Amino acid sequence: MIVFGHGSPDARLMFVGEGPGKDEDLQGKPFVGRAGKLLTKLLGALDIRREDIFITNIVKCRPPSNRLPLPNESSTCIKLLDAQLKIIRPDVVCALGSCAAKTLLEKEIKITKERGKIFKRGTTTIIPTLHPAYILRNPKEMDKIFQDIQAAHKLIQNK
Ligand code: URA
């Protein structure tokens, strides 16, 4: 199934992941599997409701066998994401994981080094952070993603 995204068209905070996994493919909604449940939990701890934000992915269809999106898939789908950014006009986008961060920033970055920093894509502020699926495998890193989402949330509150 095509997973375009889900949430509020008035969202000031947007989250962008890599691409739909098995659960997302079945339900047509982003981040509804294990990684999504962790994301929802982190958001809840900051009093952020999923219906007030917008969540989408770099690629809108599940890559076969959960492989990373290929460069030509990301570069095709970024046009859709740019259209979503133009319509929703969020103040801050949190890029979840290396694939989303590199695609949105159009450069090679080391996510562990650049996470939590503020970047721009045109006029949109981008904060890269670790992917929730990585946190499931490395729970000791939980405070990092929490801090970055908190920083993104603080930014929209100060706008
Ligand atoms: N991982 C992603 O990057 N996106 C989803 O929608 C689900 C898991």
Side-chain angles (χ1 to χ4, degrees):
M1 208 185 291
I2 298 174
V3 183
F4 274 112
H6 193 75
S8 169
D10 301 318
R12 298 176 64 205
L13 182 57
M14 189 189 271
F15 288 81
V16 178
E18 184 178 298
K22 188 170 174 235
D23 296 303
E24 291 75 23
D25 186 34
L26 288 171
Q27 295 186 41
K29 282 187 192 161
F31 282 99
V32 290
R34 278 185 73 223
K37 292 200 168 74
L38 172 59
L39 179 63
T40 306
K41 209 165 155 187
L42 288 163
L43 294 171
L46 290 164
D47 268 333
I48 305 171
R49 301 181 319 156
R50 274 183 73 136
E51 53 267 45
D52 293 332
I53 57 169
F54 195 85
I55 308 182
T56 187
N57 284 298
I58 295 291
V59 296
K60 310 304 191 202
C61 297
R62 182 187 181 201
S65 324
N66 286 343
R67 63 155 167 73
L68 276 172
L70 299 172
N72 73 316
E73 293 167 345
S74 299
S75 62
T76 300
C77 286
I78 192 78
K79 293 171 198 144
L80 271 172
L81 182 54
D82 276 331
Q84 291 177 307
L85 287 171
K86 214 167 151 188
I87 295 166
I88 298 169
R89 305 206 313 123
D91 290 323
V92 179
V93 172
C94 210
L96 298 169
S98 176
C99 169
K102 286 178 187 172
T103 308
L104 280 165
L105 304 180
E106 296 179 42
K107 62 178 177 187
E108 282 301 312
I109 62 150
K110 208 163 165 25
I111 192 74
T112 45
K113 202 162 156 254
E114 306 298 338
R115 52 150 283 270
K117 295 187 186 166
I118 294 175
F119 295 87
K120 288 275 179 188
R121 177 177 181 82
T123 54
T124 313
T125 299
I126 313 278
I127 301 190
T129 190
L130 304 171
H131 195 288
Y134 170 84
I135 304 299
L136 287 173
R137 296 190 302 271
N138 300 275
K140 282 188 190 149
E141 307 279 49
M142 189 81 77
D143 57 323
K144 293 185 181 152
I145 186 172
F146 184 76
Q147 280 166 20
D148 298 343
I149 297 176
Q150 192 170 37
H153 191 222
K154 276 203 182 126
L155 266 189
I156 62 160
Q157 284 170 325
N158 294 333
K159 282 219 176 186

